[in-house]
Amino acid sequence: MDCFYRSHLAFICIFIWSLALFRTTDSGSITWHEPPPSETVIDTAITSTTETNLTKGSFNEELSCNFSLTADLSFETVSFEFDGVTVASYAKGRYPTVADRFVSRFNVTWVPSKLTLIVFKVTSDDKREYHCRAQGYSSSHGLQAWLRMIKVDVLVQTQITNVTGKTVTEGGNVTLKCLAEGNPTPTVMWTRLSDNRVVTMPLTNIRRQNASVGYRCTANNGVKSPATRDVFLDVQCECYNL
């Protein structure tokens, strides 16, 4: 009898597993194309995640949600959201629209399978998590919705904020410091203006004639053009009491 019950229970488990597998494989799917990487998702409970960058101060930068649905699904709606609020959307047979509260910041365009959010001017506030929600309908599963999280980082061009250490007593050493900020963090390099050779700090045994030798700080983080600043040493002569 125990053997019968065990066999019966095993049969039920296999049946349930097969039914779940059938429902999964029978379901439609979405493939997210843009922003990369491309990813195909069947389960609507799974949120796809990707990352992209915008550049602070840039005008009309685009954030796109490009996708395709399997043939058994008909497209219904797609939207951009953040903080639980819909920013822009498109529904089949209508025009793409931006929510009233965001019309001063964004525009939106739609071409088949691609909703593009246009950021009029990128600011630090645009560093956030956006969500693209796409919905499709199938006769076997009804309305289905997939979600993709797009983590947006805002890149900031390098800016030199200060240069210190320019004053030195003749015969002494000096370390020029170039303070720069940006995202990502910039790298700093010093060169001599006369021959463009890279120099390392500290500069040693400084003489009065070194006051006419200029040095250039170049700070770069790969966002737009590097920042530069030229400086000359202030060499103060040693005074001797006679």
Side-chain angles (χ1 to χ4, degrees), residues 147-221:
L147 196 65
R148 192 173 214 202
M149 179 192 298
I150 306 171
K151 296 181 179 180
V152 173
D153 191 18
V154 173
L155 305 181
V156 181
Q157 184 179 12
T158 298
Q159 178 181 3
I160 296 175
T161 58
N162 196 19
V163 174
T164 63
K166 293 175 287 185
T167 302
V168 59
T169 301
E170 186 176 15
N173 303 333
V174 66
T175 298
L176 296 173
K177 294 183 179 179
C178 185
L179 305 179
E181 59 185 25
N183 182 37
T185 302
T187 58
V188 173
M189 179 179 66
W190 283 99
T191 53
R192 191 162 46 216
L193 290 177
S194 59
D195 55 12
N196 203 35
R197 292 186 63 179
V198 175
V199 296
T200 57
M201 300 296 159
L203 305 173
T204 60
N205 194 24
I206 301 300
R207 297 299 171 186
R208 273 174 284 182
Q209 54 266 34
N210 294 126
S212 61
V213 178
Y215 297 89
R216 172 170 293 167
C217 168
T218 301
N220 186 22
N221 66 353

Side-chain angles (χ1 to χ4, degrees), residues 21-74:
L21 179 64
F22 172 77
R23 287 180 59 85
T24 301
T25 55
D26 185 53
S27 176
S29 66
I30 190 170
T31 299
W32 301 106
H33 301 292
E34 189 181 351
S38 180
E39 181 182 8
T40 298
V41 180
I42 298 175
D43 190 348
T44 56
I46 295 176
T47 298
S48 171
T49 302
T50 188
E51 300 176 354
T52 192
N53 299 319
L54 299 175
T55 303
K56 185 176 181 179
S58 295
F59 295 94
N60 298 323
E61 280 222 52
E62 296 184 353
L63 180 62
S64 294
C65 178
N66 191 358
F67 61 94
S68 58
L69 301 172
T70 48
D72 58 317
L73 288 163
S74 63

